[in-house]
Amino acid sequence: MTIDTQPIGKISTPYKEKFAIPRQPGLAKSAEGNITFFEGFNDPNYLRGIEQFSHLWLLFHFHQTADKGHSPLVRPPRLGGNQKLGVFATRSTFRPNGIGMSVVEFGAVSYQNNQLILTVKGMDLLDGTPIVDIKPYVPYADSIPQASGGIAQHSPELMTVTFTEQANSQLKQLEPRYPALGSLIREVLSQDPRPAYHKVTHPDKTYAMTLYDFNIQWQVINQQNVVLAIQII
Ligand code: SAM
């Protein structure tokens, strides 16, 4: 049996590459994304009443890794990449059917130039990710406070993030146009995006990530993430 799934739209986000995207939604609350709807779904009726929900589930396609296939066992980053778990016991991107699910904060609905746009916040999605469905988050059914979360019981420990003088002045120049850039950089880097083994093998490496159209470089100094430069690409 095969099931045909047609994306209803795609999301634009500040995350232009996979590296450094938080591993779950809600970890970088300043990240804002816009879902634009494809023909056939570009109709405000599809979203009527959605504003009464503070949070939404996005179901989406891991389009950048979908062609890489999957195996029954994966190495979750939470376990330092050394131990294996069954793919269905993880939130790995490499899975049969490549379907992801993220709970995000509702932002706004707008309709401009015949284009329906749903704005959401806190997503962990790459720019251009195809969206296959949207559903309201229903607290009485979806929130289980006593649930046990196995290897992911608690959110990851946060690192302190600081800016060099140079990075700070670059940020100041950009903030009028990108008011959330500073907090987004802080939230993303506080998650320590380095591969776990780099902590030992590459202690002095300078890392770079792309947010919006900016190349952001940082280094770990005295166990803090220090932002060195923010350059326009
Ligand atoms: N919250 C979702 C879930 O549980 O299904 C996604 C979790 S997955 C571990 C999150 C990671 O997926 C991000 O850190 C990013 O590296 C990756 N990712 C996000 N969008 C993607 C896409 N469109 N294709 C491939 N990988 C993607």
Side-chain angles (χ1 to χ4, degrees), residues 17-25 60-66 90-93 95 99-103 124-130:
E17 59 181 342
K18 263 186 75 202
F19 178 54
I21 302 180
R23 296 200 179 113
Q24 286 300 336
F60 59 90
H61 191 225
F62 286 115
H63 72 306
Q64 200 177 81
T65 47
T90 75
R91 303 287 278 260
S92 168
T93 59
R95 54 197 316 117
I99 290 178
M101 48 183 275
S102 292
V103 71
D124 52 348
L125 274 63
L126 187 64
D127 186 43
T129 297

Side-chain angles (χ1 to χ4, degrees), residues 12 14 36 64 87 92-93 103 126 133 136 138 141 143-145 158 163 172 199 201 205 209 220 230:
S12 65
T36 49
Q64 200 177 81
V87 66
S92 168
T93 59
V103 71
L126 187 64
D133 205 353
V138 177
S143 163
I144 306 171
L158 299 182
F163 290 70
K172 287 262 153 5
K199 291 173 195 171
T201 57
K205 186 176 157 66
M209 65 175 173
V220 180
I230 303 169

Side-chain angles (χ1 to χ4, degrees), residues 2-23:
T2 57
I3 302 169
D4 250 350
T5 306
Q6 185 192 354
I8 58 167
K10 67 175 179 179
I11 188 165
S12 65
T13 78
Y15 302 123
K16 308 298 176 193
E17 59 181 342
K18 263 186 75 202
F19 178 54
I21 302 180
R23 296 200 179 113

Side-chain angles (χ1 to χ4, degrees), residues 71 74 118 128 158 172 184 227:
S71 47
V74 298
L118 171 62
L158 299 182
K172 287 262 153 5
L184 182 59
V227 181

Side-chain angles (χ1 to χ4, degrees), residues 2-229:
T2 57
I3 302 169
D4 250 350
T5 306
Q6 185 192 354
I8 58 167
K10 67 175 179 179
I11 188 165
S12 65
T13 78
Y15 302 123
K16 308 298 176 193
E17 59 181 342
K18 263 186 75 202
F19 178 54
I21 302 180
R23 296 200 179 113
Q24 286 300 336
L27 298 172
K29 294 190 192 312
S30 305
E32 195 168 284
N34 289 313
I35 299 171
T36 49
F37 291 81
F38 294 151
E39 216 183 311
F41 303 98
N42 189 29
D43 173 350
N45 278 332
Y46 277 103
L47 298 182
R48 190 187 295 176
I50 203 165
E51 66 288 341
Q52 64 193 289
F53 298 96
S54 64
H55 291 79
L56 304 171
W57 285 107
L58 301 184
L59 301 176
F60 59 90
H61 191 225
F62 286 115
H63 72 306
Q64 200 177 81
T65 47
D67 62 351
K68 307 247 167 10
H70 72 277
S71 47
L73 291 171
V74 298
R75 296 173 193 270
R78 279 274 186 158
L79 296 176
N82 301 323
Q83 292 174 53
K84 293 181 178 176
L85 286 183
V87 66
F88 296 139
T90 75
R91 303 287 278 260
S92 168
T93 59
F94 302 96
R95 54 197 316 117
N97 299 312
I99 290 178
M101 48 183 275
S102 292
V103 71
V104 296
E105 192 184 335
F106 170 82
V109 174
S110 59
Y111 194 69
Q112 300 160 6
N113 303 325
N114 296 325
Q115 179 59 66
L116 179 64
I117 301 173
L118 171 62
T119 303
V120 296
K121 293 177 193 168
M123 66 283 142
D124 52 348
L125 274 63
L126 187 64
D127 186 43
T129 297
I131 303 295
V132 296
D133 205 353
I134 299 167
K135 302 186 190 205
Y137 175 86
V138 177
Y140 84 85
D142 294 346
S143 163
I144 306 171
Q146 74 278 19
S148 85
I151 59 163
Q153 181 71 25
H154 301 292
S155 54
E157 265 184 42
L158 299 182
M159 276 182 85
T160 301
V161 179
T162 59
F163 290 70
T164 59
E165 250 176 57
Q166 183 197 339
N168 219 6
S169 77
Q170 287 164 332
L171 185 62
K172 287 262 153 5
Q173 285 171 23
L174 294 168
E175 264 176 346
R177 273 188 301 136
Y178 294 88
L181 182 61
S183 39
L184 182 59
I185 294 173
R186 256 190 212 94
E187 291 163 357
V188 167
L189 293 189
S190 70
Q191 303 293 319
D192 191 6
R194 291 176 296 171
Y197 69 93
H198 273 209
K199 291 173 195 171
V200 180
T201 57
H202 296 67
D204 302 323
K205 186 176 157 66
T206 298
Y207 293 88
M209 65 175 173
T210 312
L211 291 180
Y212 301 104
D213 292 330
F214 305 112
N215 177 273
I216 294 143
Q217 291 167 28
W218 80 96
Q219 203 178 8
V220 180
I221 301 172
N222 296 332
Q223 312 206 2
Q224 299 190 357
N225 273 333
V226 181
V227 181
L228 306 171

